[in-house]
Amino acid sequence: MRKPAAILLASASLVVATAAHAAPDVVVSIKPIHSLVASVMQGVAEPKLIVDGAASPHTYSMKPSNAKAVADADIVFWVGPTMEAFLDKPLDALGGKAMVVALGDAPGLEKLTFREGGPFEAHDDGDEQGEGHDRVTEKAHHDDHGHDAHEAHAHEGHSHEGFDTHLWLDPENAKAMVKEIEARLVAADPANVAIYTRNTLALLKRIDALDVEIAATVAPVKNKPFIVFHDAYQYFEHHYGVKVAGSITVSPETAPGAERLKEIKAKIAGLGATCVFAEPQFTPKLINVVTEGTRAKSGVLDPEGATLKAGPDLYFELMRTIATSLNDCLGKDS
């Protein structure tokens, strides 16, 4: 029996309306950023994550399932080509389909340049610039698609883009990225603007509360220097006033030489008892090498959430875990 034309028309209209208001297909590169995007999208849809599990963006290789997710995406959020080099060419290959949002270009970020010289491994041979924090006050240039901004950004200066990309370790930067995430989602999906706005306001308040909590956690150990596996923590250091005395390597994909290890070991001895922190994705053997024969203790820091379950709560767990690990190791009696 044939349905009346009016019913068919109403059904067709419902299908069209549903399709028109479907949430965008969102893909996110790494866990800390995915957590922020997932928080803003709660109640609308779940974004897909590329670098899942204990993988590191520094050494990641795209899987076929990742490539398909990127090809099908309406929006792709990433930090930029320095943090996720493995994603650079796949995004270029999109050919204009997706809105590509480099959150390293979000308005309001405070960017710190890569540290060179001093206790940190120089990026350029013979370049000794000291160990201070240099701010980069870059502002994003936005286009509706985002791809042109990515193209320009990928070719600025040298391959390091001039700034450290572990931006989320400063909660003020996390808030700036959240606002950019909201703006892009609202532009792509105005039907859900009320949900995105509500989630964003709640998330910003939650980050403010987290900031106060972490400041209190690290306050007792702020003046105790420590060594990290790679120089990923200067945003956390800059914001909370803790003292990173040096790193075993700047880039975890580049193994330090024997001379570098010798220098770090001397640095540890010169500081007296301190802590040397490994990272879960990389072999702890180098930590053992530099601490052998010293009074230094060892711990683990996880700046990218490798050991944490992906989702809206990951960012908060990540920041708390760093603060707790610092307090636990540095707070021990020497």
Side-chain angles (χ1 to χ4, degrees):
M1 180 179 175
R2 216 178 258 184
K3 293 182 180 180
I7 294 177
L8 289 173
L9 182 60
S11 299
S13 298
L14 180 61
V15 170
V16 171
T18 301
H21 293 95
D25 192 343
V26 177
V27 173
V28 189
S29 58
I30 58 175
K31 282 183 172 181
I33 305 306
H34 175 268
S35 179
L36 299 177
V37 175
S39 292
V40 177
M41 293 187 70
Q42 277 189 307
V44 177
E46 293 184 12
K48 297 181 178 71
L49 172 63
I50 295 178
V51 185
D52 203 354
S56 168
H58 300 288
T59 56
Y60 194 74
S61 296
M62 287 278 283
K63 301 173 183 176
S65 58
N66 300 148
K68 184 179 187 307
V70 169
D72 293 343
D74 297 310
I75 308 175
V76 178
F77 288 104
W78 68 328
V79 178
T82 295
M83 174 56 67
E84 308 100 323
F86 69 89
L87 196 51
D88 200 9
K89 289 182 180 179
L91 290 180
D92 282 343
L94 282 176
K97 178 184 182 299
M99 176 193 292
V100 179
V101 183
L103 290 173
D105 289 335
L109 292 174
E110 180 176 18
K111 299 179 182 180
L112 302 174
T113 57
F114 283 100
R115 294 188 282 202
E116 300 179 353
F120 294 95
E121 191 169 327
H123 285 277
D124 298 307
D125 292 339
D127 185 12
E128 297 293 331
Q129 296 183 13
E131 56 187 273
H133 299 283
D134 293 324
R135 293 173 179 79
V136 179
T137 55
E138 298 177 11
K139 295 295 180 183
H141 52 285
H142 294 287
D143 60 324
D144 290 339
H145 179 262
H147 187 70
D148 292 341
H150 152 65
E151 280 283 318
H153 195 62
H155 295 96
E156 288 173 6
H158 56 78
S159 61
H160 293 293
E161 294 181 1
F163 69 96
D164 184 340
T165 52
H166 297 83
L167 296 154
W168 60 88
L169 294 180
D170 180 336
E172 291 299 321
N173 280 346
K175 287 164 62 178
M177 289 190 283
V178 165
K179 292 173 185 177
E180 176 71 346
I181 290 164
E182 178 199 22
R184 295 307 185 108
L185 288 172
V186 165
D189 184 22
N192 286 307
V193 61
I195 298 176
Y196 295 138
T197 300
R198 182 174 66 247
N199 288 346
T200 296
L201 291 174
L203 181 55
L204 295 175
K205 289 180 181 178
R206 193 179 175 194
I207 293 173
D208 282 337
L210 175 74
D211 189 14
V212 173
E213 176 189 331
I214 290 176
T217 301
V218 300
V221 297
K222 281 176 65 173
N223 296 319
K224 296 188 177 183
F226 58 96
I227 304 289
V228 294
F229 179 74
H230 85 290
D231 190 21
Y233 305 92
Q234 65 168 325
Y235 288 103
F236 192 97
E237 176 187 359
H238 175 65
H239 186 77
Y240 293 108
V242 296
K243 293 188 175 181
V244 178
S247 62
I248 294 175
T249 182
V250 175
S251 301
E253 64 269 30
T254 305
E259 186 62 28
R260 176 64 184 167
L261 295 177
K262 183 179 177 182
E263 290 172 0
I264 287 293
K265 194 164 186 174
K267 186 74 176 177
I268 293 169
L271 289 169
T274 185
C275 288
V276 181
F277 290 95
E279 292 180 20
Q281 307 100 315
F282 305 104
T283 175
K285 183 171 68 174
L286 293 174
I287 305 298
N288 298 333
V289 170
V290 299
T291 57
E292 186 179 3
T294 75
R295 299 173 61 200
K297 300 174 287 290
S298 63
V300 176
L301 296 178
D302 186 4
E304 291 148 12
T307 61
L308 303 176
K309 181 181 177 182
D313 291 331
L314 177 137
Y315 178 74
F316 299 88
E317 293 177 37
L318 181 156
M319 295 291 283
R320 286 191 181 104
T321 300
I322 291 175
T324 301
S325 295
L326 290 173
N327 187 279
D328 288 350
C329 188
L330 295 170
K332 291 178 182 176
D333 292 335
S334 298

